[in-house]
Amino acid sequence: NAVVQDIERVTDTLENATAQISVRLIDWAWWDDTYQFMKDKNKPYIESNLGINSISNIKINAMVFVSTDHDVLFKKSVNYIKRQETPSDTIEEHVHAHPALTTISNDKIPVQGLIMLPEGPMLVTAVSVLNSDTQGPGHGTLLFGKYFDSNLVHDISNLTHIPVTVYNYNDLFLPSDVSIAKKNLDEKNPIFVKAVSETTIAGYTVVKDYYDQPAIIIKTESPRTVYIEGLHNLHVFVAVATVAIILFGIIIYLFIEMFFVYRFSKLSYE
């Protein structure tokens, strides 16, 4: 089913986007300078590496340094498109309220997922801070976050060539088609397909957050190719049938006219 394949392409692209954040995260977390900063919070590191432009260049929205005691040593949020600093209180509050997010069981494997903030859904990935030789002991955790906002949705749509829309799962005012999809989506039915017009068919799926709770609904749209082709073929058939009926009627008319003309001509001759 083409719609199911579209949904799978979009979710795969989302997973790849998260994996790319993890790659950038590892470059920062497994670095002697970061390792030292987690011990002494030295200002030269902040001045050299944690400016708005430095964070914007790696295209993330949030950076949080968390100690082994789950204290936030440093955090910064930015709008990397506008290269402006933004409030970072909500991400700090989330980290404090959910210590499991920055409790890394394996130093060399990043954890990643989706969290819901008041500003919207955010892709996050976190890993233990090690030295440049990837040796420990770990000096806390570094977390990167990127909002799943219109910019990321636009990027995914461009990469997959599929129109994508994202909805908050707990939104009380979902569009009617999304509400119907929500009622039909569960563990046994992870993808729901519905025709939304004569020419468009939509696919829906739920993405869970890091804590395994439903977080967002992704909707894709694509042309109803089979339906459109069938409708086109029906129109062609009707047109051909109409022409055939008209031609048949003309032939019958001509035949009848010729028959009666012949009869009248024969009677007149007799």
Side-chain angles (χ1 to χ4, degrees):
N1 186 303
V3 179
V4 173
Q5 291 176 350
D6 285 351
I7 285 286
E8 290 173 344
R9 283 170 59 197
V10 169
T11 54
D12 286 347
T13 304
L14 179 59
E15 289 177 5
N16 288 337
T18 308
Q20 288 174 12
I21 300 171
S22 291
V23 170
R24 301 186 193 115
L25 170 71
I26 288 171
D27 285 341
W28 281 66
W30 298 348
W31 181 29
D32 286 341
D33 288 9
T34 303
Y35 195 69
Q36 184 63 35
F37 173 73
M38 296 298 284
K39 290 198 295 183
D40 60 19
K41 295 188 288 184
N42 64 87
K43 289 186 178 179
Y45 180 89
I46 296 174
E47 293 169 355
S48 300
N49 303 294
L50 303 181
I52 294 172
N53 287 331
S54 296
I55 298 174
S56 298
N57 287 340
I58 55 177
K59 296 184 177 181
I60 61 171
N61 295 107
M63 186 180 285
V64 186
F65 296 77
V66 184
S67 73
T68 52
D69 296 325
H70 298 292
D71 293 324
V72 173
L73 303 179
F74 182 90
K75 39 85 175 180
K76 180 171 280 188
S77 294
V78 302
N79 180 323
Y80 65 85
I81 300 294
K82 297 181 178 179
R83 292 181 177 264
Q84 296 175 349
E85 187 167 358
T86 58
S88 55
D89 294 341
T90 55
I91 181 67
E92 181 178 11
E93 291 168 2
H94 190 97
V95 168
H96 279 307
H98 301 85
L101 181 62
T102 52
T103 302
I104 310 299
S105 58
N106 187 321
D107 284 346
K108 297 183 181 180
I109 299 179
V111 299
Q112 57 189 40
L114 185 73
I115 63 173
M116 299 301 290
L117 298 178
E119 296 86 350
M122 174 180 273
L123 302 178
V124 294
T125 179
V127 73
S128 292
V129 176
L130 306 175
N131 64 25
S132 296
D133 295 324
T134 66
Q135 300 300 311
H139 284 174
T141 305
L142 178 57
L143 178 145
F144 280 4
K146 183 171 185 173
Y147 283 114
F148 194 175
D149 57 12
S150 58
N151 295 313
L152 183 54
V153 170
H154 181 264
D155 290 344
I156 291 174
S157 293
N158 281 344
L159 285 169
T160 59
H161 304 289
I162 300 168
V164 176
T165 313
V166 175
Y167 300 92
N168 187 326
Y169 184 87
N170 294 313
D171 191 338
L172 299 177
F173 302 101
L174 292 170
S176 59
D177 65 306
V178 182
S179 293
I180 293 171
K182 180 179 176 179
K183 293 175 182 177
N184 286 275
L185 288 166
D186 53 34
E187 296 291 340
K188 294 182 179 179
N189 302 286
I191 297 175
F192 179 70
V193 178
K194 175 180 170 58
V196 293
S197 72
E198 289 188 352
T199 58
T200 304
I201 191 165
Y204 310 80
T205 194
V206 171
V207 176
K208 293 184 177 181
D209 64 14
Y210 180 76
Y211 314 104
D212 203 35
Q213 298 300 311
I216 59 174
I217 297 174
I218 293 178
K219 173 184 175 181
T220 64
E221 291 183 288
S222 55
R224 295 180 66 184
T225 307
V226 174
Y227 176 83
I228 294 171
E229 288 178 355
L231 195 62
H232 172 73
N233 292 337
L234 178 62
H235 289 161
V236 171
F237 173 78
V238 171
V240 170
T242 301
V243 171
I245 290 170
I246 292 172
L247 289 175
F248 182 73
I250 292 172
I251 292 170
I252 294 296
Y253 171 79
L254 292 174
F255 176 78
I256 292 173
E257 186 177 65
M258 291 175 63
F259 175 77
F260 280 105
V261 168
Y262 171 78
R263 291 283 294 176
F264 279 122
S265 298
K266 186 175 180 182
L267 290 172
S268 297
Y269 177 77
E270 293 176 350

